[in-house]
Amino acid sequence: MDCRVINNRRHTGLQQLSSFAETGRTFLGPVKSSKFIIDEECHESVLISSAVRLLESLDLTSAVGQLLSEAMQAQNKTYRTGTSTLLFLVGAWSSAAEECLHLGVPISLIVSVMSEGLNSCIEEVESLQVPVHSVYDHIDSRETFSGLSVSLYPSLQIPSGTDLVQKEHDLKDVASQSLAFCRLSRRPVKSPQLFRLQARFEADENTSRTPQTVKNNLLADTHCRKSVLTHSRHFSRTDHHQWISKPGEFLEQLSAAAPKTYRCSDLAELEVGLSHGDPSSMRLVAEAVRLQRQNAGLRQGSHAVLLPFDISRIFTCCLPGLPDTLSCVCPGYITALSMSSATLIKELQNQPVRVVLVEGDLTENYRHLGFNKPTNIKTVSESVKVQQDSSEELWTDHVLQVLIKFNVNLVLARGNVSERLAEKCTDSKRLVIGSVHESVLQAFAEASGAVQVAYITHMNENCVGSGVSLTTWRSDPSDTVDGISRMTVVLKTEGINLVTVVLTSPVTAQMQTKEDRFWTCASRLYYALKEQKVFPGGGAVELLCLTHLQSLAGQSVNKGNQDCSGWLHNTSSWLASSAALYRPTVLKSLADGWHRYLSTLLRNAAVYSSDSEAATSIQRHLQNAADSGSPSSYILNEYSKLNSVILNSVISDKLEPVPRVYDVVTPKTEAWRRALDLVLLVLQTDSEIITGLAHTQKSSQESEGFLFL
């Protein structure tokens, strides 16, 4: 149990937020430190590596804890990513707001200036958005994430002999594979030789070149260590001078080398960039996308229009106790059933299966939503239990007769299933499966022609689907899941738009973490393809926010100094003067939150061993960005050279560039907004609760308390 001191003389709610957020700081960044959560009552343990699972295990009975939990659940339910960022910024900005209060800044000014500062940051980072277009144009099995896993991510090798006869785009495939390998090995590299190599290929795309010329250029680029990109598809100019207008600032003139907006047009590159240190999960996501496109009848490379995959038709089947190597992606619906159905499953494998879909519970007392029970009817009986048993038995026999009449072999129900009915159906060679997701029922309805029914007794011939096949998942389908012997089966039909990802792990406590990581990767890729844009990752966006807020704070200081002469002569402008006076303080406090974020990110990524080293690196980049005249251009240039954590200063002498890291746009910015909204809500609530004389009359012994986590 963790314990933190709470000072009752200061805002308790903000201190509680900071304490809760401190427990999840190790989850920030690609290298996460997992935590074991042990239940004190049953002594069971579970391994977690996400902020959402952490808060589920903490005691959040306080009002502030409930608000934090609701904000985290809303973010996770909507986007399934960004919760670690949200939790960390809640803590950082809670401390910032508390410091502003300690300095005497009015609460109304804290709320208005912080909100204005964050909105300005979100507008500013739009210049860093990377368009995602036509990623399916040149997709094939060698370029997908799953294809790279087959070749074990080979490193870049210089071709020789007959291999040099290959076209230049084949060399790009080799480079793409090298990118994935370097990303997974997490070797930070600063030199951008490979990108100059790719740029030269594209610059001379229409020029015929001999194999020897290609080899010589490749060797020359290997020994060249200049960091200036003179020919690149990522950086070009439309004119010798480019002007950018920023709100509240003067026009900035960019140099002729100002970068154009970089475009991501390769699905493999996008998948690697969004994996965030979890290649195994993203590999499964990539395979699921490939299967969905194959099931939809789209040939690879035949469509230039961006088609995001349907994440609602992807499901997971968790099988703890099995080796990790058995994790895979399969078309159709996969589920684990009890071994009591093993004989029936074997018999149904070799015959066509007719299916009926039930959109509610398959029980005798189930009534659809909106059903009104008849009034003014009272049943009197000496033995109520006998009557209920006989009623359920009659209903079970009636349902079974209906299934026999229409020759139904398989029943899929969205809700619960009567145990008595399931037993009778098994005896009559009919399989009943309950707790099936609504999207699964819809997919089978579309593919088999079945019509969902509320009550199975209302079924007719037009409601029955056909063409469903039932097979076992493995040749030896009997597995032990959670200590219970089960059989894993696959249900599918031709043309079904349904994919199941089987997740296995020999460690039961790790199963939930593995499933969470898969859905996080799937959500990142889904929103990237849906929005057709991503952010450069590795701290690039947060660095621009920090630079922008410091610039705004400096402008506010200069403006405030100019207005100081009128304070004593015009008392009516006191409120405006107060806003000008405190505005830089609030903006700097908000910027300190971004600084803490970047510092923690660098520490967790093992780039720097101490906070002082990370702070020195951040300050150096802030100074360089300010001196460049265009922070966004500076950050894009640095990002293109490092291709990993933007503040990484490690230099490598090997030709091993690290692939680009990407972040999704809307989930990230919404996490920022939710974090600040929560902090400001608690701030204003605290001001109404503790304002007054009561809290100042407490003795010194009561001035401090403890918050148990």
Side-chain angles (χ1 to χ4, degrees):
M1 178 179 293
D2 196 4
C3 174
R4 300 187 185 278
V5 177
I6 298 296
N7 186 353
N8 290 330
R9 292 184 179 274
R10 306 184 71 171
H11 279 62
T12 305
L14 295 179
Q15 295 179 79
Q16 289 179 348
L17 283 180
S18 299
S19 299
F20 286 133
E22 186 68 20
T23 60
R25 63 179 299 154
T26 58
F27 298 145
L28 192 65
V31 185
K32 296 177 174 59
S33 298
S34 301
K35 297 178 182 291
F36 266 110
I37 303 297
I38 302 176
D39 193 329
E40 293 183 348
E41 296 181 358
C42 58
H43 302 287
E44 294 182 354
S45 63
V46 63
L47 185 66
I48 63 172
S49 61
S50 69
V52 175
R53 301 301 175 188
L54 174 64
L55 291 186
E56 289 178 352
S57 305
L58 296 182
D59 182 13
L60 300 178
T61 55
S62 64
V64 172
Q66 290 294 323
L67 290 174
L68 176 60
S69 178
E70 290 177 4
M72 294 286 290
Q73 293 295 340
Q75 177 75 16
N76 184 64
K77 183 178 180 180
T78 306
Y79 302 110
R80 288 182 174 176
T81 184
T83 52
S84 298
T85 296
L86 191 157
L87 183 61
F88 185 90
L89 290 179
V90 163
W93 287 337
S94 294
S95 300
E98 188 180 359
E99 183 63 24
C100 290
L101 286 176
H102 184 64
L103 295 175
V105 182
I107 291 179
S108 59
L109 289 180
I110 298 176
V111 174
S112 61
V113 176
M114 279 193 168
S115 299
E116 178 187 352
L118 181 59
N119 291 333
S120 181
C121 287
I122 294 177
E123 293 178 1
E124 183 71 13
V125 297
E126 289 181 359
S127 61
L128 296 184
Q129 291 179 1
V130 178
V132 177
H133 294 303
S134 306
V135 294
Y136 293 122
D137 281 1
H138 304 289
I139 182 176
D140 66 38
S141 59
R142 293 177 302 170
E143 295 178 352
T144 59
F145 212 109
S146 57
L148 293 177
S149 64
V150 176
S151 59
L152 299 180
Y153 305 93
S155 58
L156 177 64
Q157 298 179 354
I158 300 177
S160 59
T162 58
D163 293 336
L164 291 172
V165 183
Q166 295 180 349
K167 296 181 180 179
E168 292 174 358
H169 67 78
D170 292 332
L171 294 176
K172 296 179 187 177
D173 291 348
V174 178
S176 175
Q177 295 177 359
S178 177
L179 289 177
F181 171 78
C182 297
R183 172 61 182 147
L184 296 179
S185 60
R186 296 183 188 143
R187 284 178 284 189
V189 176
K190 190 172 184 178
S191 69
Q193 280 77 10
L194 181 58
F195 297 102
R196 290 204 302 275
L197 169 66
Q198 292 177 332
R200 183 173 299 176
F201 287 155
E202 295 193 2
D204 299 331
E205 193 172 0
N206 298 324
T207 305
S208 60
R209 303 172 64 184
T210 63
Q212 186 61 36
T213 303
V214 175
K215 183 177 181 180
N216 292 339
N217 289 335
L218 196 61
L219 291 172
D221 282 320
T222 304
H223 297 289
C224 179
R225 290 297 169 186
K226 295 181 181 180
S227 61
V228 179
L229 296 177
T230 58
H231 247 96
S232 175
R233 61 193 173 107
H234 311 310
F235 301 94
S236 61
R237 56 184 183 270
T238 57
D239 198 354
H240 293 288
H241 300 283
Q242 184 177 359
W243 297 84
I244 294 180
S245 177
K246 297 185 179 181
E249 298 183 8
F250 57 87
L251 291 176
E252 291 185 352
Q253 183 179 4
L254 306 184
S255 62
K260 262 190 177 180
T261 302
Y262 171 71
R263 295 179 181 273
C264 178
S265 57
D266 182 71
L267 183 60
E269 177 189 353
L270 184 63
E271 291 166 352
V272 174
L274 293 173
S275 63
H276 291 193
D278 190 7
S280 58
S281 296
M282 185 57 78
R283 186 162 50 245
L284 294 174
V285 174
E287 181 65 17
V289 174
R290 188 191 66 81
L291 276 179
Q292 272 199 346
R293 290 176 54 79
Q294 181 179 353
N295 294 339
L298 298 177
R299 294 182 304 167
Q300 295 178 352
S302 62
H303 289 268
V305 180
L306 184 66
L307 298 175
F309 67 97
D310 188 357
I311 196 173
S312 66
R313 295 299 178 90
I314 297 179
F315 294 89
T316 54
C317 178
C318 297
L319 301 176
L322 300 179
D324 288 324
T325 54
L326 295 180
S327 296
C328 62
V329 182
C330 302
Y333 178 63
I334 300 179
T335 185
L337 304 176
S338 63
M339 290 300 297
S340 60
S341 305
T343 303
L344 173 60
I345 292 173
K346 292 180 180 179
E347 293 182 3
L348 293 178
Q349 287 188 85
N350 301 321
Q351 64 182 27
V353 176
R354 289 166 57 87
V355 62
V356 63
L357 310 175
V358 181
E359 59 185 9
D361 293 344
L362 193 53
T363 57
E364 188 272 335
N365 58 355
Y366 169 76
R367 300 296 182 268
H368 65 274
L369 184 64
F371 174 81
N372 296 322
K373 186 177 181 180
T375 59
N376 301 326
I377 297 179
K378 185 176 181 180
T379 303
V380 179
S381 175
E382 295 181 357
S383 177
V384 179
K385 186 177 184 305
V386 173
Q387 180 184 3
Q388 291 178 348
D389 292 343
S390 60
S391 175
E392 182 177 4
E393 192 69 22
L394 291 175
W395 173 83
T396 301
D397 293 338
H398 181 45
V399 170
L400 187 59
Q401 291 175 6
V402 173
L403 296 178
I404 295 174
K405 175 182 178 181
F406 295 103
N407 192 23
V408 174
N409 314 100
L410 176 64
V411 179
L412 300 179
R414 182 181 178 183
N416 299 322
V417 176
S418 169
E419 295 182 1
R420 180 58 178 164
L421 176 63
E423 293 175 359
K424 283 199 169 186
C425 287
T426 301
D427 295 339
S428 62
K429 309 302 180 182
R430 285 164 178 81
L431 181 63
V432 181
I433 302 176
S435 301
V436 181
H437 196 274
E438 179 183 5
S439 296
V440 176
L441 298 180
Q442 182 62 31
F444 275 99
E446 296 171 357
S448 66
V451 178
Q452 299 185 45
V453 296
Y455 305 97
I456 205 168
T457 54
H458 294 173
M459 181 182 62
N460 54 42
E461 181 64 29
N462 296 329
C463 299
V464 181
S466 59
V468 179
S469 63
L470 188 150
T471 58
T472 56
W473 175 53
R474 297 193 300 153
S475 57
D476 182 18
S478 58
D479 301 310
T480 302
V481 181
D482 294 335
I484 303 175
S485 183
R486 294 180 179 272
M487 171 175 283
T488 308
V489 297
V490 183
L491 303 176
K492 60 182 178 179
T493 184
E494 184 178 358
I496 189 170
N497 181 19
L498 194 65
V499 174
T500 302
V501 180
V502 180
L503 300 176
T504 60
S505 176
V507 182
T508 303
Q510 197 178 10
M511 197 72 260
Q512 184 65 67
T513 297
K514 193 167 187 177
E515 185 179 19
D516 291 341
R517 288 182 173 179
F518 167 81
W519 284 116
T520 298
C521 288
S523 297
R524 288 198 200 107
L525 185 60
Y526 170 76
Y527 281 102
L529 296 178
K530 178 182 178 181
E531 299 177 347
Q532 301 189 24
K533 58 186 178 182
V534 289
F535 276 142
V541 179
E542 290 77 10
L543 180 63
L544 181 57
C545 289
L546 178 56
T547 306
H548 181 61
L549 287 177
Q550 290 187 348
S551 176
L552 292 179
Q555 294 174 14
S556 299
V557 170
N558 296 332
K559 184 178 180 181
N561 292 334
Q562 295 175 2
D563 296 338
C564 281
S565 58
W567 287 4
L568 299 178
H569 303 284
N570 188 3
T571 56
S572 62
S573 63
W574 177 85
L575 183 60
S577 300
S578 298
L581 176 64
Y582 290 121
R583 178 182 171 85
T585 301
V586 179
L587 290 176
K588 289 179 181 179
S589 298
L590 188 64
D592 288 342
W594 291 124
H595 195 285
R596 289 180 57 185
Y597 180 95
L598 290 171
S599 179
T600 304
L601 181 65
L602 295 177
R603 288 290 308 276
N604 290 354
V607 177
Y608 297 102
S609 59
S610 65
D611 290 334
S612 59
E613 293 180 2
T616 301
S617 177
I618 294 172
Q619 187 59 38
R620 183 179 69 252
H621 281 279
L622 290 175
Q623 186 63 43
N624 293 340
D627 295 341
S628 68
S630 176
S632 59
S633 299
Y634 169 80
I635 291 174
L636 284 175
N637 285 327
E638 290 297 307
Y639 174 76
S640 68
K641 290 189 293 185
L642 302 181
N643 306 300
S644 181
V645 179
I646 188 172
L647 304 176
N648 182 11
S649 62
V650 180
I651 301 176
S652 175
D653 295 331
K654 298 181 180 180
L655 185 60
E656 295 177 350
V658 180
R660 285 179 168 82
V661 181
Y662 296 119
D663 279 327
V664 283
V665 176
T666 299
K668 176 179 279 289
T669 55
E670 283 302 307
W672 298 352
R673 293 185 189 276
R674 281 193 169 102
L676 186 60
D677 289 344
L678 177 59
V679 171
L680 298 183
L681 174 62
V682 173
L683 169 65
Q684 296 174 87
T685 304
D686 275 350
S687 69
E688 296 178 4
I689 292 176
I690 73 170
T691 296
L693 299 177
H695 72 284
T696 62
Q697 298 173 354
K698 293 182 179 180
S699 62
S700 59
Q701 289 82 3
E702 297 175 345
S703 62
E704 290 187 352
F706 295 92
L707 174 65
F708 293 93
L709 304 179

